[in-house]
Each structure stands twice: as structure tokens, then as C-alpha cells.
Amino acid sequence: MRHIISLLMENEAGALSRVAGLFSARGYNIESLTVAPTEDPTLSRMTIVTSGSEDVIEQIIKQLNKLVDVVKVLDLNDGKFIERELMLVKVKATGGFREEMKRMCDIFRGRIIDVADGTFTIELTGSGHKLDAFIESLDKAAILETVRTGASGIGRGDRILKV
Amino acid sequence: MAETSHPHQITGAEILIRSLEQENVKFVFGYPGGAVLHIYDAIYKQGHFKHILVRHEQAAVHAADAFSRATGEVGVALVTSGPGATNAITGIATAYMDSIPMVVISGQVPVAAIGLDAFQEVDMVGVTRPCVKHNFLVKDVKDIASTMKKAFHIARTGRPGPVVVDIPKDITANFAEFVYPSTVEMRSYNPVTKGHSGQIKKAVKLLLEAERPMVYTGGGVVLGDASELLVKLVQALGLPVTNTLMGLGGYPSTDKQFLGMLGMHGTYEANMAMHECDVLLAVGARFDDRVIGNPEHFYNKDRTIIHVDIDPSSISKRVKVHVPIVGDVKSVLGEMNDLVLQEKPQQSPALKAWWKQIEEWRGKHCLNYLNNNGFIKPQYVIEKLWDVTKGDAFVTSDVGQHQMWAAQYYKFDKPRRWINSGGLGTMGVGLPYAMGCQFAYPDAQVACVTGEGSIQMNIQELSTCKQYHLPIKVILLNNRYLGMVRQWQEFFYENRYSESYMDSLPDFVKLAESYGHVGMLIEKPEDVEGALTDAFAMKDRFVFMNFITDQKENVFPMIPNGKGLSEMILAEDL
Ligand SMILES: Cc1cc2nc3c(=O)[nH]c(=O)nc-3n(C[C@H](O)[C@H](O)[C@H](O)COP(=O)(O)OP(=O)(O)OC[C@H]3O[C@@H](n4cnc5c(N)ncnc54)[C@H](O)[C@@H]3O)c2cc1C
Ligand SMILES: Cc1ncc(C[n+]2csc(CCOP(=O)(O)OP(=O)(O)O)c2C)c(N)n1
Ligand SMILES: [Mg+2]
């Protein structure tokens, strides 16, 4: 099953490579991994999207906790959570495509953030599913380039991951 | 030297030395080079620890590792950057796999040169990441002391392991004040020690009510110095007990409740009892693939498993357990003992019947071997070694058949006496391991049981042994084969002995003599005991004993790869 794991770790050189190395050395899947410092600059927050059987997920959580730089680990799937990802899509905006793209962008509540001769760049935020759905619904011939950030996740309500 | 000295400031190299002094380090095993010259200069000027000059960095790390295994203290090794650092890797990985607390200090090119493919530059933090508990690159002289404090703390607490501290050369020349922290606070690292009391109660209840209980203990009991508590518990409950290869000595091997080692080359009775039990108490052992064989086969029988381990990731990794207890062996076994004491357990009829069954298995005498073909049997050498040393030696081994025979036939009654590489299975550890033990206990009898393949992987250390007058006894079981490989080729590759024969061996007697040691050649079974007695009587000499053994002897019992615990091949089957 797909799991989203959030973790806080010391914001130190090499911290990311410890996590990435753990996943590759033990053969765990990584669908996406995002990392950035938090409001406390000594801490980084990471969101890892992975998949595996319950046993594998249990081992992943334990192995992450075992890394000396990792302060806290939370399997977001253990409760209610929100997942968001940002995508930028550059599309053809010529002739009939121009109106079509504006319409699709509205339906998915995206924003056109760059308009150029013959191209639009659309910014879209949402769950991974929503971004997939957007891509699916576009004419393949119109897509020039896409870039996605990978998911960020946060618990709902009083589920708080903090030191 | 970059900065000028202020009244209270000393160099990074001196800070490093003072840190080691604060940690009460008695030996540093190492080898000098460009990146650590400042450190070596500071070593020259100090008098707190002894530096041991090895002949290869791998041996420095192995010796430090063995020093730790034998004493329980953190072992320390020091190597230069680049090739010095990469030579240390096998030693670090070996310690990592067996959870041995060590601090390995490596030199690094100056900070400004990092990343420029500088002379003798290697990304030590990157290279060692998968085989250390943790590692550090120190980029400021002010961080040396606090980093060393953390390194020792991390190495010895929780599940122990090696920690690498990589220090650029310029950092060791810069000046700072020396302040050694008295405590360590790390919000990201707080290993659990005390087990969950509810779970411990449940475990004791299960053991008291079990019909076919079994205790399986490993390296964790040795590492956690919990042998006495284990003995107390096992004897109070009258339970059968087995040890892993790493756990030998954790329970006295000559006691009647001990069923011998379990696993791939474990005894018939230990493996059968492990397979047939209804309640299994696993303590500081990690259900290794060489121990339970095929997990699917292990699941064929229902049993309730209680697992005590300080590392949560050791629990339910290969085998699902029912009562997990995360905690330090000492604390958990202590609590279990207190509970058992209140119960005053009596031997139940079921337990009596279980022992009867176990005695039947034991009656197979699976370690018996034929000793009548005129060749020296390796098993016999180990038995005589036990006699001559009165079972009280530190025995190190290399990796191969000789390792298994040493484990099976030398009855270890005390922890920290059996020093070998289980997890990584590193050929070449034997001699440096013996060095580490002999430095730790200068007056003790130290025997290195080895093969002609393994000993040649760190043979250069004969020179170190000469320099420091180490009276080690090398017990070479010379079968002219990479015996363990040959055994697998005999069983599973229809006797195609591909590259497992050792041709062109040196004359080991002359070799030993050329290093200034005593060499002995033993070719007849009737000479074995006398030769061992003579060798151990030479209390201040290093003796290299070359036993020419039966070439095609095999290790039994054996669980073939992929088979289950009860599917052993016994010597009598062939
Ligand atoms: C040629 C060869 C053949 C082998 N054949 C066998 C064999 O037949 N039988 C066998 O048993 N092994 C055999 N091995 C060794 C095997 O590969 C493993 O190394 C070994 O079985 C692991 O032992 P262990 O389970 O005791 O774990 P260890 O590696 O010793 O691990 C110790 C465990 O204890 C835990 N621990 C550490 N400190 C504490 C503490 N203070 N409190 C609580 N828990 C703690 C750790 O977290 C870890 O889980 C063989 C190796 C070789 C090279
Ligand atoms: C460094 C290393 N290389 C290869 C192996 C694989 N290996 C395991 S046992 C063995 C043979 C060891 O031969 P020897 O030292 O003569 O011991 P014997 O088995 O004959 O007693 C080999 C090659 C290993 N364990 N370690
Ligand atoms: Mg051999």
C-alpha cells in the first residue's frame, strides 16, 4: 500500500543522503521525496511517499527512527492527513489549444503563471491524484513539459509533528 | 599552522588527544600518513594512551574491534585519508555487522581541498555511510571535542556500533580552547533502555505456563553484559538454552541446560528444540538467516515468540514475534528475574517430558566424529586446545570450517572469550583479533584458530606481534583447501572444486621464524596434545602451530541453504 511518511531531522550536511541511502540499500521504494528547512532552521522536514506491505512499512519506520540524525517520524497513513503537490505544466497555446487550455485550467483550479508566444505555463496544486487527472485530461500533443515537486503531507486537526 | 596560539588555546590535534584521554582510551591502533601528521605529532608528545603501529589499516580496525569485544570498552583506530581510510572499510563493516562499539578517526584533506579530487582524497563519510552507526565530518576545530564526545556516546549506547570521525588536516592544526562536554544531549538520539513492564509480565507468565519452552540468546547478551542474569533466569525456570555463534559464552557451555549452538552448523538438539518448542524466548539475537534457516519452514510449527532486543528494527524483521520487548537485556532480564523469584517455579510434568525429548535428541551425539584414519582431525585439535588451556583462553578465529569447529568444540563458559566475525564473515580477522585481545589482557592465553587461506589475509601482522612481544598462539588447521568453499562444492556442485585448492603455501614454520617467532609443524594425531602443551608453556613467545589436518573433513551438522531447522544433514547420514 502507498504510505506517506513525514519526518523531522537535523538540518545537517549529508542528512538527505542518509535517508536516500537507507532506501536504496534496503531496497525500499521511493515514489517521491521532498525536503526543506522548517521554521526552526536547525530542522528539516521531509515527506517520503513509499509503498510496500505492512511489514515493510513497519521496517521502514523503524529504520528511519534508527538514523541518528532523525528526530521524529510519523506515518501519516496512521490517521487523517492532507497531501499536496505542486506541478508546473508548459502547454501549447496556439489556435484551438489556447481556449481549451484556459478552460481545463479553470476546471482544475490551476493558474496560468506565464503567457508567451504560443505557450502557457500552468501552476496546479493538489493531491497526486488530482495532478495525474489533470495530465490525463490534457491532449498529449499539447504538453511540452511538466515538473512536479513530489508530495508534502500534514496531519489533520491536532495531529502535529513538532519537536 | 593557521592561527597563532592564545594562552588557553591548543591545536585540533591536541584537542583530539585530550578527548581520547577524557574517554579513558588506553590503546589506539593506527597507521600514519600525510593527513594525520599533526595528530601523530601530538601522539608523540602525549603519555596517556599507547599507540599500536599495525602493518595494514584493516588490521588496526580489527584489533580495535577485538579490544572492544574482549573488554566491552570502545575500541579506537586511527587512519590517514584516502587509501588509509579505504583500507579501514572492511574492518568497519565487520564491526558494524556484529554491533561492536568503536570510534574510527580518519584524516581528510584540508577543508578547502575537499571536492577537488585532491591527493589522497576520498569521501569517507559517503563511503562508510552504509556500514557505520553514524559518522561525522568535522569542519571546525571548535567542534572536535563535542564531536568526539558524541561519537563515543553513540558508539557505546543503544545498539552499539562503529562511528567514524573524519577530520580534515587543517582542522587539526587550527587552535581552539579545549572544553570537553560532561554530558551529551541529542534530541534525535535517545535509545530506550527499560522494557515495557506489562510486556515483561506477559513474557514471564508465558514462560511459566509453557509446555515446551526454549531460550535462544545471542550477541546482545554478551554486548549487554547480561550473562549472569541470563544464567539466573534460565536456571530458576529450568529451561533449555541455546546460543548463536555471536552469543557463545553468554551461557556456560559446560552446563547441562545448554544445548550447544544452533543454526546452520548448530547441534541437532538445539535446532530440534528451537523448531519444536511452544514458547520461545529470544534475547539479544536477531533471527539471522544462518540461524533459523528458511523462515517459511520455521512457520510450519506454531509457537509463541517473546523477543527482547534494544533495537526495535531487529524485532519482527525476519520472523514475526508475538511479545516484543524493546529494552536493554540487563534491565529486562533483571525485571524478569524479580518476577520469577516471586513465583518460586516448580518443574511441571510437561517440562519434564520436554527435557526427556531433548535428552533423546542429545543422545544422537551429533558432534561425534571418527578419529581413526591416521590424520589429524581438526575437531580433535580444538578439543585438546580446550584441555590444554583449561577452557579459559581467549579464542579468536578466522572464517571457514575452522571457525565452526572452534565454535562447536571449544566449550566457552564465559562471555567475551570467543572473538569472531559472524555477521560479515571476514576472513583475515583472526590474527588482528588475537592482537586486540592480548593487548587488553597481556597475561591471558590467547589462541587464534585459523585456516591457511584466512591467515594469509593479514599475515603481515606477524611483524606487529614481534614488535610488541605478543605471546599469541596461532592454531592453524591447515587443510590445504578453502575448506568451507570446498565443502559446499562437494555437497552442492558435485565435487567440482573450483579454485578452492590452496597451492604454493609458504613454509609456515620458516615464515614464523623469519619474523622472530617460534614455528611448529604437527603432522600426527599423537603429537597434537604434546605440541599444544609445549606451545602454551612458552608463555612469553608467539608460537605459530601448523597442524596438517585431514583435508576433506566436513562440518556437521549442516542445514543446507533454503532448508529448515529440522532438516539437518548429520555426519552419520553420509
Ligand atoms: C561461516 C559462517 C557460518 C555461520 N554459521 C552460524 C550458525 O551455524 N549458527 C549461528 O548462530 N550463527 C552462524 N553464523 C553467524 C551468523 O551469520 C550471524 O552473525 C549470527 O547468527 C548473529 O548472531 P545474533 O543473532 O546473536 O546477533 P548479533 O549480530 O550478535 O546481534 C545482536 C543483537 O542483540 C541486540 N543487542 C545488542 N545489545 C543489546 C542490549 N544491550 N540489549 C538488548 N539487545 C541488544 C542487537 O540489537 C542485535 O539485534 C555463521 C557465520 C559464518 C561466517
Ligand atoms: C574476505 C573473504 N573472502 C572470501 C570469503 C568466502 N569464504 C568463506 S570461508 C572461505 C574459506 C576459508 O578457508 P580457510 O581459511 O583455509 O579455512 P577452512 O575453511 O579451510 O577452515 C572463503 C573463501 C570470506 N568469508 N571472506
Ligand atoms: Mg583451509
PDB file of all heavy atoms in Angstrom, chain B residues 451-453 477 479-483, ligand 3:
ATOM      1  N   GLY B 451      42.687 -20.763   9.323  1.00  0.00           N
ATOM      2  CA  GLY B 451      42.917 -21.642   8.174  1.00  0.00           C
ATOM      3  C   GLY B 451      44.042 -21.066   7.342  1.00  0.00           C
ATOM      4  O   GLY B 451      44.374 -19.880   7.470  1.00  0.00           O
ATOM      5  N   GLU B 452      44.601 -21.897   6.474  1.00  0.00           N
ATOM      6  CA  GLU B 452      45.752 -21.403   5.693  1.00  0.00           C
ATOM      7  C   GLU B 452      45.308 -20.356   4.681  1.00  0.00           C
ATOM      8  O   GLU B 452      46.108 -19.549   4.227  1.00  0.00           O
ATOM      9  CB  GLU B 452      46.505 -22.569   5.027  1.00  0.00           C
ATOM     10  CG  GLU B 452      45.851 -23.188   3.803  1.00  0.00           C
ATOM     11  CD  GLU B 452      44.527 -23.849   4.109  1.00  0.00           C
ATOM     12  OE1 GLU B 452      44.315 -24.292   5.256  1.00  0.00           O
ATOM     13  OE2 GLU B 452      43.670 -23.900   3.208  1.00  0.00           O
ATOM     14  N   GLY B 453      44.010 -20.333   4.356  1.00  0.00           N
ATOM     15  CA  GLY B 453      43.506 -19.276   3.485  1.00  0.00           C
ATOM     16  C   GLY B 453      43.395 -17.979   4.265  1.00  0.00           C
ATOM     17  O   GLY B 453      43.971 -16.947   3.889  1.00  0.00           O
ATOM     18  N   LEU B 477      44.702 -24.716  11.327  1.00  0.00           N
ATOM     19  CA  LEU B 477      44.150 -26.004  10.897  1.00  0.00           C
ATOM     20  C   LEU B 477      44.304 -26.042   9.387  1.00  0.00           C
ATOM     21  O   LEU B 477      43.446 -25.580   8.637  1.00  0.00           O
ATOM     22  CB  LEU B 477      42.688 -26.126  11.333  1.00  0.00           C
ATOM     23  CG  LEU B 477      42.461 -25.992  12.848  1.00  0.00           C
ATOM     24  CD1 LEU B 477      40.968 -26.069  13.179  1.00  0.00           C
ATOM     25  CD2 LEU B 477      43.233 -27.069  13.616  1.00  0.00           C
ATOM     26  N   ASN B 479      44.279 -27.401   6.021  1.00  0.00           N
ATOM     27  CA  ASN B 479      43.693 -28.482   5.197  1.00  0.00           C
ATOM     28  C   ASN B 479      43.997 -28.276   3.712  1.00  0.00           C
ATOM     29  O   ASN B 479      43.443 -28.966   2.865  1.00  0.00           O
ATOM     30  CB  ASN B 479      42.184 -28.582   5.443  1.00  0.00           C
ATOM     31  CG  ASN B 479      41.475 -27.249   5.251  1.00  0.00           C
ATOM     32  OD1 ASN B 479      42.074 -26.287   4.788  1.00  0.00           O
ATOM     33  ND2 ASN B 479      40.212 -27.199   5.617  1.00  0.00           N
ATOM     34  N   ARG B 480      44.845 -27.320   3.401  1.00  0.00           N
ATOM     35  CA  ARG B 480      45.235 -27.043   2.012  1.00  0.00           C
ATOM     36  C   ARG B 480      44.031 -26.761   1.121  1.00  0.00           C
ATOM     37  O   ARG B 480      44.066 -26.913  -0.101  1.00  0.00           O
ATOM     38  CB  ARG B 480      46.085 -28.193   1.410  1.00  0.00           C
ATOM     39  CG  ARG B 480      47.513 -28.264   1.925  1.00  0.00           C
ATOM     40  CD  ARG B 480      47.601 -28.996   3.261  1.00  0.00           C
ATOM     41  NE  ARG B 480      47.402 -30.434   3.135  1.00  0.00           N
ATOM     42  CZ  ARG B 480      46.858 -31.203   4.094  1.00  0.00           C
ATOM     43  NH1 ARG B 480      46.445 -30.667   5.233  1.00  0.00           N
ATOM     44  NH2 ARG B 480      46.713 -32.493   3.902  1.00  0.00           N
ATOM     45  N   TYR B 481      42.941 -26.403   1.715  1.00  0.00           N
ATOM     46  CA  TYR B 481      41.747 -26.048   0.960  1.00  0.00           C
ATOM     47  C   TYR B 481      41.105 -24.812   1.580  1.00  0.00           C
ATOM     48  O   TYR B 481      41.217 -24.599   2.790  1.00  0.00           O
ATOM     49  CB  TYR B 481      40.697 -27.166   1.033  1.00  0.00           C
ATOM     50  CG  TYR B 481      40.835 -28.227  -0.018  1.00  0.00           C
ATOM     51  CD1 TYR B 481      41.221 -29.523   0.325  1.00  0.00           C
ATOM     52  CD2 TYR B 481      40.559 -27.942  -1.354  1.00  0.00           C
ATOM     53  CE1 TYR B 481      41.328 -30.510  -0.635  1.00  0.00           C
ATOM     54  CE2 TYR B 481      40.671 -28.929  -2.322  1.00  0.00           C
ATOM     55  CZ  TYR B 481      41.060 -30.210  -1.958  1.00  0.00           C
ATOM     56  OH  TYR B 481      41.161 -31.179  -2.908  1.00  0.00           O
ATOM     57  N   LEU B 482      40.412 -24.064   0.752  1.00  0.00           N
ATOM     58  CA  LEU B 482      39.442 -23.107   1.284  1.00  0.00           C
ATOM     59  C   LEU B 482      38.280 -23.994   1.688  1.00  0.00           C
ATOM     60  O   LEU B 482      37.312 -24.184   0.957  1.00  0.00           O
ATOM     61  CB  LEU B 482      39.066 -22.079   0.218  1.00  0.00           C
ATOM     62  CG  LEU B 482      40.249 -21.237  -0.282  1.00  0.00           C
ATOM     63  CD1 LEU B 482      39.845 -20.341  -1.445  1.00  0.00           C
ATOM     64  CD2 LEU B 482      40.832 -20.402   0.860  1.00  0.00           C
ATOM     65  N   GLY B 483      38.439 -24.584   2.862  1.00  0.00           N
ATOM     66  CA  GLY B 483      37.639 -25.739   3.249  1.00  0.00           C
ATOM     67  C   GLY B 483      36.139 -25.506   3.202  1.00  0.00           C
ATOM     68  O   GLY B 483      35.384 -26.373   2.747  1.00  0.00           O
TER      69      GLY B 483
HETATM   70 MG    MG C   3      41.770 -24.256   4.774  1.00  0.00          MG
END
